[in-house]
Amino acid sequence: LVVLGVGTVLLVAFLLTSLKGLVDLATLLSFLTAPVLAWLNHRAILGDEVPAEHRPRGAMVAYSWAGIVFSLVFALWFLKVRFL
């Protein structure tokens, strides 16, 4: 946590002169982490630790996969628009 805190303070201090740079970094990190976090959430809720009667089924699982795919496609589109 100390490394995270120090890194955050250094990053904000470095990008404080450029609000655009800070917003660009936050946007980039948000788009790139969203599919990973969605997939981790999907795995967690469908894992063995969650009792079978509390796990989503059918359409909700399909909806979750659709959200993961949508997030991934949107992140790739964002990278294409941003860097190409």
Side-chain angles (χ1 to χ4, degrees):
L1 284 175
V2 171
V3 172
L4 182 63
V6 169
T8 302
V9 168
L10 290 174
L11 191 64
V12 169
F14 178 69
L15 293 173
L16 197 57
T17 58
S18 171
L19 184 59
K20 182 186 182 306
L22 189 60
V23 171
D24 285 346
L25 178 65
T27 305
L28 177 70
L29 292 176
S30 296
F31 277 114
L32 295 183
T33 58
V36 175
L37 295 175
W39 179 72
L40 289 172
N41 185 41
H42 179 83
R43 280 193 46 194
I45 199 65
L46 294 177
D48 292 335
E49 296 83 11
V50 176
E53 64 269 9
H54 296 297
R55 290 184 209 150
R57 293 181 207 93
M60 189 58 77
V61 173
Y63 185 63
S64 176
W65 275 114
I68 293 168
V69 169
F70 178 79
S71 283
L72 184 61
V73 168
F74 204 64
L76 293 173
W77 176 77
F78 174 78
L79 288 174
K80 179 182 178 241
V81 168
R82 179 79 172 95
F83 294 110
L84 294 181

